[in-house]
Amino acid sequence: MECAAAILAAAPLAGRRTWLPLSPPPSPPFIQIQNRLYSMSSLPLKARGMRRCEASLASDYTKASEVADLDWENLGFGIVQTDYMYIAKCGQDGNFSEGEMVPFGPIALNPSSGVLNYGQGLFEGLKAYRTTDDSILLFRPEENALRMRTGAERMCMPAPSVEQFVDAVKQTVLANKRWVPPTGKGSLYIRPLLMGSGAVLGLAPAPEYTFIIFVSPVGNYFKEGLAPINLIVEDKFHRATPGGTGSVKTIGNYASVLMAQKIAKEKGYSDVLYLDAVHKKYLEEVSSCNIFVVKGNAISTPAVKGTILPGITRKSIIDVALSKGFQVN
């Protein structure tokens, strides 16, 4: 997952949730969801033969708009079963179906599917927020769509177009509108998942792919909330190596950090800060987020050179910091 980037030392930006028009891209950072879904004509569409998923009315799914009955005051970061999930399929022609909303629940997979045998899968993570006027906002979903397309190319997978990705996210959020937490009580976490669902025995790209989006209301990822977290610097385990897949959000990147994370939490730390795999002395990133170091008016963050995930939160913090006159290295 991608959470708010960790910041070391006292930072003027720390603890502040800044929602500013960020540039680039020229499109608004938020997309407001009303009762209808509107086409995103300003998005950089790269269909490349992919079939468009038309936006649809949400009224089929959200006739009851009341907020779900949950303990919103004590909402943690865990899976809560919501109402619907989005599913689209892609065959060997590289074209995705228009997708459909189905009840949330288990999915059927061939034991020989590419994702189960060879880890051919990607995921994204973004959130929807409820405002005081009961609007629902998304934060830069087109950035997640573009990152999924980049990751899919690295993993030899087809990917939904930016337009289909954003439409599918909006449909899924509207279908589960009652699970968006009240203002200030949390957010609706959105998990797009792209996987090789087709059967394959030899090492090769899967013949079929499935694009799924499910959601869950969540609170803060770290139990400390907005308070500082304690990180342990890891010098034995490595999250990624040059030439690997550290720069894309593939599923295999995350299971490998579980051991180091388990050891860290047993010692009382919140998470692990990894060093580079070559020199074993340069900061790279945390298990679940990018890292920034703040000293005076200078903010430093590791460069994206193939081993670090280009976080959307990371990019946004850099944009905001530069607009506020900080020096970003």
Side-chain angles (χ1 to χ4, degrees), residues 129-146:
Y129 302 86
R130 190 183 295 273
T131 64
T132 53
D133 65 356
D134 209 33
S135 297
I136 296 175
L137 303 180
L138 300 173
F139 185 67
R140 310 184 87 175
E142 71 282 354
E143 294 287 345
N144 294 89
L146 290 168

Side-chain angles (χ1 to χ4, degrees), residues 143-162:
E143 294 287 345
N144 294 89
L146 290 168
R147 189 170 65 179
M148 175 169 276
R149 290 183 66 82
T150 298
E153 184 175 357
R154 174 65 175 86
M155 302 300 291
C156 293
M157 306 167 69
S161 67
V162 173

Side-chain angles (χ1 to χ4, degrees), residues 5 17 19 22 66 89 92 129 150 157 168 170 175-176 182 201 219 229 232 243 249-250 259 263-264 317:
R17 300 187 69 182
W19 309 110
L22 306 177
E66 74 279 2
K89 296 279 189 178
Q92 292 181 316
Y129 302 86
T150 298
M157 306 167 69
K170 291 197 291 183
N176 296 283
L201 189 58
I229 61 174
I232 185 171
K249 209 167 175 67
T250 181
M259 177 61 73
I263 295 172
I317 287 178

